Amino acid sequence: MAIFVSIKVHFQGVFINKPFCYSDGIQHVFENIDIVGMSCTEFVGVLERFTQEKCEKLYYCQPDLEIPKSLTLISNELRYQEFIDIAYRCGVQLLVYMDRFGTTVHVAKENEN
């Protein structure tokens, strides 16, 4: 059984500091997309084909938190599965950010000093 989600993808931009944000990018909303059957590599491949750019790093924002605290790197299949779980559990449009330069984004989590 397919369950569909909505994802807003930000691409062709850059992460900047002060204030921390994703700047000069393009946005596209994928409505009713079924990502459960895709691996992380397949999902990135779909995004790369659509945006026609290489994705060095992929991030998503957790719902109800502001950037940068909510920014989470999808670095492997486990992190991708967490992204899928949040997307289906929350039922909201998740924000996804493609980093085409592989910039290191330092995010201080609340439990860190």
Side-chain angles (χ1 to χ4, degrees):
M1 180 176 93
I3 302 172
F4 301 98
V5 295
S6 176
I7 299 170
K8 183 184 282 186
V9 179
H10 298 260
F11 59 99
Q12 293 184 358
V14 293
F15 288 107
I16 60 171
N17 212 355
K18 297 182 182 176
F20 184 86
C21 64
Y22 191 79
S23 180
D24 298 331
I26 299 171
Q27 302 175 47
H28 179 77
V29 176
F30 289 91
E31 295 282 355
N32 299 320
I33 185 170
D34 182 17
I35 57 177
V36 168
M38 290 184 214
S39 69
C40 183
T41 303
E42 291 169 329
F43 180 64
V44 169
V46 167
L47 296 179
E48 287 179 337
R49 283 190 300 278
F50 176 80
T51 63
Q52 297 184 356
E53 69 177 21
K54 176 80 173 134
C55 177
E56 293 296 326
K57 292 184 180 178
L58 187 64
Y59 299 86
Y60 72 94
C61 281
Q62 297 180 25
D64 301 327
L65 293 174
E66 292 184 25
I67 201 169
K69 290 180 184 176
S70 66
L71 207 58
T72 303
L73 177 64
I74 302 174
S75 57
N76 56 37
E77 289 296 330
L78 178 61
R79 294 286 180 236
Y80 178 66
Q81 188 58 52
E82 290 171 356
F83 162 69
I84 291 173
D85 292 345
I86 289 171
Y88 286 100
R89 184 178 63 238
C90 295
V92 297
Q93 183 181 79
L94 284 184
L95 305 178
V96 174
Y97 295 88
M98 288 181 63
D99 184 354
R100 58 190 168 149
F101 299 115
T103 307
T104 301
V105 177
H106 297 284
V107 179
K109 299 293 182 186
E110 289 183 28
N111 61 352
E112 294 178 355
N113 293 330

